[in-house]
Amino acid sequence: MAQRTLARYLTEEQRDKGIITGDLKFLLEIVSRACQAISVAIGKGGLGGVLGEAGSDNIQGEAQKKLDVLSNEILLEANEWGGHLAAMASEEMDLPHLVPHRFPKGEYLLTFDPLDGSSNIDVNVSIGTIFSVLKCPEGADLSTPQAAEAAFLQPGTAQVAAGYAVYGPTTLLVLSVGDGVAVFTLDREQGSFLLTQDQVRIPADTKEFAINMSNRRFWEEPVRRYVDEMLAGREGPLGKDYNMRWVASMVADVHRIMTRGGIFMYPLDSKMQEQGGKLRLMYEANPMAFLVEQAGGAATTGRRRILDIAPEKLHQRVPVILGSKNEVERVTAYHSM
Ligand code: AHG
Ligand code: MN
Ligand code: MN
C-alpha cells in the first residue's frame, strides 16, 4: 500500500468524512511546506548563519532570535498568496498581517508561534512551530490591521484545525482537523510528510510531570501542593513515584505527552500575575489544548477549560495545565478547594 502523504490524508478526510474543505486542505498543505522550509533553515545551523540574536524585541518585550524572525517570514510568505486566508497573526508581530491587495482573499484566519522554544535554538535542542486555524467571521472588518484584531478573538472551541511541527532528531508534523490527532514524519529525501501514527491517545494516568521547578516559590498554593505531593512519591498521598522532564520547548514537552502521557504545567505565578501567565492563548495554549483534547487529554488554566476562554486581546497570556486527564483534573480541583 502506498504511504499516506499529508496531502492524501487530507484528501481522504475531505472525501470520506466531509469535515474539511478544499481551501482548508490547501492551507494545511502550505503550512506544512513552510514547516519544511523552517526545518531546512534550522538544519543548517551555524553553517547557514541562522543562529543567534536578531537584535530586536517582539511585542511581548522578548528578545527575538534570528530564527524567530526568519520562521515568521517563511510562514507569512508561504501563506499570503494562496487565496485561502483572510489574515494571519503571530506571536512575533504586534498586529495581524492582512493578505496584500494584489492577492485573493479566503475565509480562514491563521495564527502561529513561528518558532517555539527560542532558548533552545542555540543549544541544538528540539524546537517547533505551533499553528491554529479559525474561520473568519462573516462581515469582519479587515480594513486595517488594527480593525482585524477583533476577527481573531474567538474561543479555542472555534478552531477548525491546529497543529505543531517539532524539529527534533526527526521533523514531525502533528495535526488535528477535529477528528483525532495524526502524526506525520518528514521524509527528507522525498520532501513530504508521511503519516506515521493516527488517532493518538494520551493515557489518562501518568507518572511524569513537566514544570519549570525554579519558579516554585512564585507559584500559587494549589500547584505547589500538587507538585509537593508528586515529589513525595510512593510514601505521599498520590502513592506512586513520579519522574520529571522539562525541555523548555512547549512543542517538545507536549509531544512527549502525546507519545507517552504526562502532565505539563506553566501555571500562574507571582512574577507573571499582571500578564496573566507566560504562554500565549492564541499561539500556544489554544492549539495545544485542541490537540490534547482531541487525543483524549485535558487542558485547563487551573480554573477553567482553556478552549472556553473568550479572548480579550490577541497577545493574551494564560496559565496552562495540560496532558493526562486524571492528573489535570486533580490539580484543577485543587484550585477550587
Ligand atoms: P517561545 O520560544 O515561543 O517564546 O516559547 C517559549 C515557551 C515554551 O516553549 C516553554 O514551555 C516555555 O516558554 C519555557 O519557559 P522557561 O524558559 O521559563 O522554562
Ligand atoms: Mn512558544
Ligand atoms: Mn516563539
Side-chain angles (χ1 to χ4, degrees):
M1 193 179 119
Q3 274 182 301
R4 287 170 85 194
T5 59
L6 174 67
R8 182 171 158 179
Y9 170 87
L10 292 171
T11 304
E12 286 169 358
E13 288 288 308
Q14 185 189 12
R15 189 193 58 210
D16 302 340
K17 309 209 175 100
I19 57 172
I20 63 170
T21 63
D23 269 7
L24 180 58
K25 187 174 94 176
F26 186 54
L27 190 170
L28 294 171
E29 182 64 25
I30 292 193
V31 169
S32 83
R33 297 270 159 202
C35 292
Q36 274 187 54
I38 296 170
S39 176
V40 169
I42 290 168
K44 292 197 166 107
L47 301 175
V50 296
L51 304 183
E53 307 291 327
S56 48
D57 283 353
N58 66 13
I59 174 89
Q60 358 241 346
E62 299 162 338
Q64 290 176 305
K65 301 274 184 179
K66 282 185 194 164
L67 267 174
D68 288 322
V69 176
L70 180 65
S71 306
N72 193 58
E73 281 167 5
I74 289 174
L75 279 156
L76 291 180
E77 276 175 29
N79 280 288
E80 65 182 6
W81 58 270
H84 49 279
L85 279 181
M88 292 175 253
S90 159
E91 179 184 290
E92 302 299 341
M93 301 186 298
D94 301 11
L95 293 168
H97 177 90
L98 303 177
V99 171
H101 289 303
R102 62 183 185 282
F103 298 126
K105 284 180 194 49
E107 57 178 339
Y108 292 104
L109 300 171
L110 177 67
T111 75
F112 45 83
D113 174 357
L115 207 290
D116 175 69
S118 302
S119 73
N120 283 322
I121 296 172
D122 294 341
V123 292
N124 200 23
V125 170
S126 294
I127 48 185
T129 297
I130 310 170
F131 61 91
S132 159
V133 183
L134 294 161
K135 267 284 194 54
C136 188
E138 297 253 333
D141 181 356
L142 300 176
S143 56
T144 63
Q146 285 82 355
E149 182 169 344
F152 287 88
L153 304 182
Q154 305 178 40
T157 46
Q159 292 171 101
V160 294
Y164 61 82
V166 49
Y167 313 111
T170 49
T171 288
L172 302 176
L173 184 78
V174 178
L175 176 71
S176 179
V177 291
D179 174 35
V181 177
V183 179
F184 301 84
T185 301
L186 178 62
D187 180 323
R188 293 179 203 274
E189 281 77 47
Q190 258 191 51
S192 58
F193 280 103
L194 302 177
L195 184 70
T196 43
Q197 203 187 344
D198 204 356
Q199 296 299 337
V200 174
R201 300 307 289 170
I202 298 174
D205 292 293
T206 183
K207 291 182 179 178
E208 200 161 66
F209 69 97
I211 194 165
N212 184 340
M213 282 293 292
S214 68
N215 292 324
R216 186 182 181 283
R217 68 190 187 284
F218 304 113
W219 298 336
E220 294 183 306
E221 187 46 38
V223 170
R224 205 175 311 171
R225 170 185 169 191
Y226 175 59
V227 173
D228 286 350
E229 286 180 0
M230 288 192 287
L231 294 177
R234 201 189 300 261
E235 289 76 41
L238 305 183
K240 54 183 172 179
D241 291 332
Y242 282 77
N243 185 31
M244 194 197 87
R245 287 287 184 273
W246 182 251
V247 181
S249 292
M250 189 189 198
V251 276
D253 284 309
V254 168
H255 191 67
R256 184 186 56 257
I257 289 170
M258 284 287 180
T259 308
R260 65 180 189 212
I263 181 165
F264 169 96
M265 289 174 280
Y266 215 118
L268 193 60
D269 72 38
S270 56
K271 285 191 281 121
M272 293 170 183
Q273 200 87 34
E274 265 171 46
Q275 296 123 280
K278 158 115 189 191
L279 298 175
R280 280 117 318 193
L281 178 61
M282 306 302 288
Y283 320 111
E284 294 168 323
N286 267 344
M288 291 310 203
F290 185 79
L291 287 159
V292 164
E293 285 200 8
Q294 284 290 324
T300 76
T301 64
R303 295 185 162 80
R304 56 187 307 203
R305 182 183 178 216
I306 286 174
L307 295 182
D308 284 336
I309 298 171
E312 285 159 22
K313 51 182 193 211
L314 201 53
H315 296 289
Q316 188 167 338
R317 295 178 188 243
V318 290
V320 174
I321 297 175
L322 59 75
S324 292
K325 202 166 199 263
N326 292 341
E327 298 288 334
V328 173
E329 282 173 0
R330 173 184 291 278
V331 62
T332 302
Y334 288 0
H335 284 76
S336 53
M337 281 175 186

